[in-house]
Amino acid sequence: MNTKQALNLLKQNGYKYTGKREDMIHFFDKENRYRTAKDLLHHMEPNYKGISVDTIYRNLHLFHSLGILESTDLNGEKHFRMKCDHHHHHHFICKNCGETKEIHHCPMDKIVQELDSYEVEDHKFEIYGFCPACK
């Protein structure tokens, strides 16, 4: 997903388009990695004096619920990134900088054989470690 697609999704779901929301979405679009609410707040503060943590979290929750952002937990803190809008894949996530690398192998291909009498609705597979720049 990119900024334009995300803003169209907001509009389609009846939410107001604002410059603040565009800046928040663009932050994740250009970062292309998992980032925290604190990272977003630091990015927004120079242009939006007095922006509240509540405003940041409210919009992050909205973007996540609409499928604009995906989330993961790293070191006990929720991190967000733009939702991938293409083929099925999984991620390696750097625990230091949040860099994300796609993994195209799906472990469910093997696991589903062990769940033959179960109905799997969805799954998420992430590997955590350190990218070459952070190790």
Side-chain angles (χ1 to χ4, degrees), residues 81-104:
R81 68 167 273 144
M82 288 295 274
K83 180 126 179 152
C84 299
D85 62 353
H86 51 284
H87 63 282
H88 180 79
H89 65 277
H90 299 284
H91 294 130
F92 169 90
I93 304 166
C94 180
K95 292 171 64 175
N96 184 53
C97 71
E99 180 182 338
T100 306
K101 178 171 176 31
E102 289 185 9
I103 301 168
H104 299 284

Side-chain angles (χ1 to χ4, degrees), residues 25-80:
I25 290 169
H26 185 69
F27 169 77
F28 287 101
D29 190 13
K30 75 177 174 63
E31 284 293 310
N32 194 28
R33 65 181 62 225
Y34 280 96
R35 303 303 297 216
T36 65
K38 188 187 301 183
D39 295 332
L40 179 59
L41 181 63
H42 290 315
H43 168 77
M44 299 292 289
E45 283 178 326
N47 296 319
Y48 299 95
K49 301 288 184 217
I51 188 169
S52 71
V53 174
D54 187 48
T55 297
I56 297 292
Y57 277 106
R58 196 174 337 107
N59 280 284
L60 288 173
H61 177 73
L62 172 63
F63 300 157
H64 186 262
S65 70
L66 291 175
I68 293 169
L69 298 179
E70 52 189 52
S71 67
T72 193
D73 289 311
L74 290 172
N75 304 319
E77 186 175 13
K78 196 168 265 307
H79 287 62
F80 300 88

Side-chain angles (χ1 to χ4, degrees), residues 99-114:
E99 180 182 338
T100 306
K101 178 171 176 31
E102 289 185 9
I103 301 168
H104 299 284
H105 173 77
C106 181
M108 285 302 292
D109 298 338
K110 191 79 168 163
I111 294 169
V112 75
Q113 296 169 8
E114 297 178 34

